[in-house]
């Protein structure tokens, strides 16, 4: 006799096929269009009464997970599989990521799940079962109208970042609406939104080496330490302008007073896809790389630090030399981060390209969550986590 999970999955697949629009077909890699699909056309329709919904806000996912475990959901939702998210990886496998911030985030995720479970101890649900349900809700739920919704049939679809189908409601019916016209033979996916590979790995268990929304978070301490190592202070600023380090500190204070920099930059210090710097990272680098420019400002203003802060905040070029130093510092920062996570970036990227080529996964596309068919192994996902730091693609125009 087949296991209950298999029977539920088969029943859910058959039910999903009945909810799909004509001309769509379920396959292990996701849902394919067998005809031209127009933009705005519904891909799947499900009764709103069969959905599991929870208003957005703190604890929403945990409450939804408890409802799922208690059976307060349509039977088709019980067949949804939890994605292979990072907290399920062993510590040895997390080390394969070779990106310490992401491994640390996965361990924090385990702690968060344990706290959420403890907060709902009265439900009498084992931790492992609660974690499965929470991962199902976090990975599969869609946002609409200020609430999270888990709808029947969602498990058949692959996911994509940034674009893809979105959730709509028409009276008593939820539907997935196509946001871009698709030709016959194309894979139709659900939008995962504007997420980074780190977020996708943590929440849905997949990643893509060519992701337009990807970025890597750095800390202010790392940025300033790398700039100091790359660009030692000149005692007189290269032209008799006084203590450069002290003036740079004044510029930093002025940038924060003017709110160009925040007291706690948090996750706004990012290297974006293709090697670009986020606005906050660019401003911090420009302030940290100031040198002889301060000498010129000292002669033109009685408050050179304030003048420099306004120029940087408003995007005014102080000098060509300064721009070159900022670009070089950004490249050195990326190279330093890469040195932490890989000895041979070229070899890792070649291996990743071969793995992705063999799977024929399009850029920014992930398989149905919880499905082994077409999915990469954990070892294949691991090198993706730091390819956004390619130092030699750094641009500073």
């Amino acid at each position: 006799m087949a296991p209950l999970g298999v029977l539920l999955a088969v029943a859910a697949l058959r039910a999903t096929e009945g909810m799909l629009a004509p001309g769509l077909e379920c396959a292990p890699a996701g849902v394919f269009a067998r005809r031209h699909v127009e933009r705005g056309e519904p891909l799947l329709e499900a009764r709103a009464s069969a959905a599991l919904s929870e208003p957005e806000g703190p604890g929403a996912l945990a409450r939804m997970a408890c409802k799922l475990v208690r059976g307060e959901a349509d039977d088709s939702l019980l067949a949804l599989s939890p994605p292979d998210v990072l907290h399920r990886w062993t510590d040895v496998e997390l080390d394969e990521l070779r990106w310490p911030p992401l491994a640390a985030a996965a361990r924090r995720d385990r702690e968060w799940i344990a706290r959420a479970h403890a907060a709902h101890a009265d439900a009498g649900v084992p931790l492992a079962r609660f974690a499965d349900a929470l991962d199902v809700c976090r990975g599969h739920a869609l946002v609409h109208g200020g609430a999270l919704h888990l709808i029947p049939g969602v498990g058949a679809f692959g996911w994509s970042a940034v674009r893809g189908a979105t959730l709509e409601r028409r009276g008593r019916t939820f539907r997935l609406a196509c946001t871009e016209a698709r030709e016959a033979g194309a894979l139709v996916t659900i939008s995962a939104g504007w997420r980074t590979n780190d977020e996708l790995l943590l929440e849905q268990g997949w990643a893509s080496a060519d992701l337009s929304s990807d970025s890597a978070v750095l800390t202010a301490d790392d940025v300033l330490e790398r700039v100091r190592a790359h660009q030692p202070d000149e005692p007189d600023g290269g032209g008799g302008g006084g203590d450069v380090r002290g003036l740079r500190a004044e510029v930093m204070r002025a940038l924060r007073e003017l709110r160009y920099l925040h007291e706690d930059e948090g996750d706004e210090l990012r290297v974006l896809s293709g090697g670009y710097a986020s606005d906050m990272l660019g401003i911090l680098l420009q302030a940290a790389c100031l040198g002889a420019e301060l000498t010129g400002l000292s002669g033109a203003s009685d408050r050179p630090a304030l003048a420099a802060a306004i120029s940087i905040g408003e995007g005014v070029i102080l000098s060509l030399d300064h721009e070159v130093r900022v670009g070089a510092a950004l490249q050195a920062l990326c190279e330093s981060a890469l040195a932490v996570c890989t000895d041979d970036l070229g070899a890792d990227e070649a291996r990743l390209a071969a793995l992705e080529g063999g799977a024929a996964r399009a850029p920014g596309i992930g398989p149905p969550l919880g499905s082994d068919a077409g999915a990469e192994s954990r070892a294949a996902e691991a090198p993706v986590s730091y390819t956004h730091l390619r130092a030699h693609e750094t641009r500073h125009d």
Side-chain angles (χ1 to χ4, degrees):
M1 183 173 179
L4 177 60
V6 173
L7 294 175
L8 286 172
V10 171
L13 182 60
R14 290 174 179 168
T16 298
E17 289 174 338
M19 293 185 288
L20 292 176
L24 299 184
E25 181 179 295
C26 288
V31 176
F32 285 86
R34 297 307 180 195
R35 59 172 175 82
H36 177 81
V37 179
E38 295 288 349
R39 177 181 178 183
E41 187 175 339
L43 305 172
L44 173 144
E45 293 190 344
R47 294 177 293 106
S49 60
L52 180 60
S53 301
E54 186 70 29
E56 284 189 283
L61 285 171
R63 291 193 299 272
M64 180 179 275
C66 287
K67 290 180 180 178
L68 190 64
V69 171
R70 290 195 297 260
E72 300 175 21
D74 189 83
D75 287 346
S76 63
L77 299 180
L78 301 179
L80 291 173
S81 299
D84 189 26
V85 291
L86 289 189
H87 77 81
R88 296 172 174 270
W89 294 28
T90 67
D91 286 342
V92 172
E93 288 168 330
L94 287 177
D95 289 340
E96 282 295 308
L97 291 168
R98 289 174 287 173
W99 183 232
L102 184 52
R107 294 182 175 103
R108 288 195 300 271
D109 204 34
R110 292 175 186 166
E111 296 170 358
W112 170 70
I113 292 170
R115 289 196 301 272
H117 177 255
H120 292 82
D122 57 338
V125 179
L127 176 59
R129 194 175 173 199
F130 175 82
D132 283 350
L134 188 66
D135 288 341
V136 165
C137 295
R138 179 167 56 172
H140 292 277
L142 299 168
V143 178
H144 176 74
L148 300 173
H149 305 281
L150 203 58
I151 65 169
V154 70
F157 288 80
W159 292 74
S160 56
V162 177
R163 297 181 178 85
T166 56
L167 187 65
E168 297 180 349
R169 181 160 183 170
R170 293 289 185 271
R172 298 180 179 180
T173 302
F174 277 120
R175 71 182 197 178
L176 289 175
C178 189
T179 54
E180 294 179 312
R182 308 297 291 168
E183 297 302 320
L187 187 66
V188 181
T189 55
I190 299 173
S191 172
W194 190 273
R195 296 200 213 181
T196 66
N197 271 321
D198 287 9
E199 291 168 333
L200 289 172
L201 283 166
L202 283 165
E203 298 168 13
Q204 293 193 324
W206 65 277
S208 171
D210 188 10
L211 190 68
S212 61
S213 56
D214 202 14
S215 65
V217 180
L218 303 170
T219 68
D221 287 343
D222 287 340
V223 172
L224 297 176
E225 180 180 347
R226 177 47 45 188
V227 170
R228 282 194 292 269
H230 178 71
Q231 177 187 277
D233 285 325
E234 299 176 62
D236 64 354
D243 178 15
V244 171
R245 182 175 295 181
L247 284 171
R248 285 178 190 155
E250 289 184 34
V251 173
M252 296 280 192
R253 283 194 293 272
L255 284 166
R256 290 190 168 91
E257 289 173 1
L258 296 170
R259 303 187 69 80
Y260 291 119
L261 280 178
H262 301 160
E263 283 299 328
D264 180 10
E265 287 83 8
D267 66 354
E268 296 185 60
L269 301 175
R270 292 179 177 267
V271 177
L272 308 175
S273 179
Y276 292 95
S278 66
D279 289 342
M280 194 71 67
L281 177 56
I283 287 172
L284 183 62
L285 281 170
Q286 289 183 72
C289 290
L290 284 168
E293 296 76 27
L294 288 168
T295 303
L297 289 171
S298 296
S301 171
D302 58 351
R303 299 185 65 185
L306 178 61
I310 293 174
S311 296
I312 290 171
E314 296 300 322
V316 177
I317 295 177
L318 295 174
S319 76
L320 181 58
D321 286 344
H322 180 239
E323 292 291 294
V324 170
R325 288 200 303 276
V326 171
L330 178 56
Q331 180 166 321
L333 182 64
C334 292
E335 288 174 339
S336 175
L338 282 168
V340 172
C341 52
T342 180
D343 294 325
D344 192 340
L345 180 62
D348 284 335
E349 290 189 319
R351 182 168 70 94
L352 184 62
L355 289 165
E356 292 209 326
R361 182 192 293 186
I365 301 294
L369 302 184
S371 170
D372 291 331
E376 308 297 344
S377 68
R378 293 177 177 182
E381 300 291 354
V384 177
S385 61
Y386 54 82
T387 54
H388 41 215
L389 279 170
R390 292 184 184 95
H392 296 292
E393 290 186 7
T394 297
R395 297 171 175 87
H396 188 75
D397 300 325

